[in-house]
Amino acid sequence: MEQNKKNWIYYYKKYGIYIFLTAVFIFFAVAAPNFLSAKNVINILRQVSMFGIVVMGVTLVMIGGGMDLSVGGQIAVVGMVLGYLMVNLKVPMLLAILIAVIVGCIFGILNGMIAIKLNMAPIIVTLSMMLVLQGVAFLITGGYPITGMPEQFVLIGQGYIGIIPVPVIIFIIFIIFGWVLMNKTYLGRHIYALGGNKEAARLAGINVDRLTVLIYAFTGFAASIAAIIMVGRTNASQPGAGSSYPFDCMTAACLGGISISGGEGKISGVVVGVVILGILDNGLVLMGVNSNFQSVVKGFILLLAVAIDCYQGKEKK
């Protein structure tokens, strides 16, 4: 009986997410009108790209034993800062983008430093930061969006290189970077070690505080890139942008096999998790399903993924 349990978890971890992806794809291909149209496929790829870039950052934090729920607030503030600089202050586009990226990285660094210096749980630090940043995003313009971005800037979110949308290319770059980092470098091994056992990693000579700040800074960088693409795609800076990202990112990561307790998971699995959520969002919209029901579905998926992860952890003990 014990062996059967272990086999079930083993096969789920190895094949479950791919079976789930196939089932979801087939279901919406049959049930959702125009799901397989070229226009809709490109739309899915664009949406998945912005979301997936942020998930790459959150994934590194989770593998390192942390959590970042502030990414939605980071996206909102970075987007508003970017729009304010370009439209209201007429700052040159490249300089405005650079400042926006630096702002995003600073938010990530703050998350890491506060968690370390005050010895606070990352989930509490980033949840608090999420609330602060959401408020700041609305305070910048009193809750009004900023529109009228430079024509060249809009190409970041709406342009193509050949037949491939620019956001998709940026997402692919993040995937390649994440895979190489976590599978081919000492830094990736150190991140796994940090999430597996922080004290053991410290005793092994890893500067765990510096590494923690580094991975939170990367998450801020990823969130800022996603914010830039989002503003370019919509041609507007919205103070409420990214509000669903914190828990959606956690859902995609957990669905992709990232352990909620850290130290375990693969970039390839996370990419599949991102695609599944993208297909779910798109397919349910095409079917005219109420957005509140979409939240119910994603909440159930998160609960199920975390429950299986906890079950696996219990079986290992």
Side-chain angles (χ1 to χ4, degrees):
M1 182 66 178
E2 189 69 23
Q3 187 63 34
N4 289 337
K5 288 181 180 179
K6 290 183 179 180
N7 285 342
W8 180 82
I9 289 292
Y10 170 79
Y11 286 116
Y12 166 77
K13 285 288 185 179
K14 193 168 184 179
Y15 305 113
I17 190 171
Y18 301 102
I19 295 172
F20 189 20
L21 172 62
T22 303
V24 168
F25 181 84
I26 292 174
F27 174 78
F28 286 117
V30 173
N34 300 317
F35 177 76
L36 294 178
S37 67
K39 183 178 179 181
N40 187 59
V41 170
I42 291 175
N43 184 48
I44 293 174
L45 290 174
R46 283 187 191 276
Q47 198 65 39
V48 159
S49 297
M50 289 185 294
F51 173 56
I53 288 169
V54 185
V55 176
M56 288 296 112
V58 172
T59 295
L60 296 193
V61 168
M62 290 180 67
I63 291 176
M67 183 64 66
D68 196 341
L69 298 179
S70 69
V71 289
Q74 292 180 39
I75 289 171
V77 173
V78 169
M80 294 301 292
V81 167
L82 182 63
Y84 195 85
L85 288 172
M86 288 194 298
V87 177
N88 294 36
L89 300 183
K90 307 301 181 184
V91 173
M93 182 182 75
L94 292 179
L95 179 58
I97 290 174
L98 177 61
I99 293 172
V101 170
I102 291 173
V103 169
C105 291
I106 289 173
F107 290 148
I109 291 170
L110 284 174
N111 281 333
M113 291 187 67
I114 292 172
I116 291 167
K117 298 300 183 183
L118 300 182
N119 196 27
M120 291 176 63
I123 192 170
I124 301 300
V125 174
T126 57
L127 179 62
S128 303
M129 186 66 78
M130 176 186 74
L131 297 174
V132 170
L133 294 178
Q134 284 178 341
V136 170
F138 279 89
L139 288 172
I140 291 175
T141 60
Y144 293 100
I146 301 172
T147 58
M149 306 300 163
E151 186 176 341
Q152 285 183 314
F153 176 80
V154 175
L155 294 176
I156 296 174
Q158 300 179 9
Y160 290 78
I161 295 180
I163 61 171
I164 305 176
V166 171
V168 176
I169 293 173
I170 297 174
F171 180 37
I172 291 171
I173 292 171
F174 268 81
I175 293 172
I176 294 171
F177 172 80
W179 186 88
V180 171
L181 174 69
M182 299 308 292
N183 291 282
K184 300 296 181 180
T185 69
Y186 283 110
L187 181 58
R189 294 170 196 164
H190 289 174
I191 294 173
Y192 277 111
L194 175 65
N197 190 317
K198 184 176 181 179
E199 189 57 32
R202 189 193 307 275
L203 294 174
I206 298 173
N207 189 328
V208 296
D209 289 350
R210 185 170 63 187
L211 183 57
T212 299
V213 172
L214 181 63
I215 56 180
Y216 275 100
F218 177 76
T219 305
F221 171 75
S224 65
I225 296 300
I228 292 167
I229 295 172
M230 189 177 294
V231 173
R233 186 186 180 201
T234 60
N235 196 21
S237 297
Q238 301 281 353
S243 59
S244 66
Y245 273 39
F247 293 102
D248 284 356
C249 287
M250 192 193 309
T251 302
C254 291
L255 185 60
I258 303 299
S259 174
I260 198 76
S261 57
E264 186 179 336
K266 295 181 179 180
I267 295 296
S268 57
V270 172
V271 174
V272 177
V274 167
V275 173
I276 288 174
L277 282 196
I279 290 174
L280 275 172
D281 277 339
N282 180 266
L284 291 173
V285 168
L286 290 178
M287 292 176 65
V289 175
N290 187 288
S291 60
N292 294 317
F293 184 73
Q294 295 176 36
S295 297
V296 171
V297 171
K298 287 189 284 190
F300 178 76
I301 291 173
L302 175 60
L303 179 63
L304 183 61
V306 173
I308 292 174
D309 176 58
C310 293
Y311 179 79
Q312 182 191 26
K314 183 179 178 182
E315 287 298 309
K316 287 181 177 179
K317 294 181 180 180

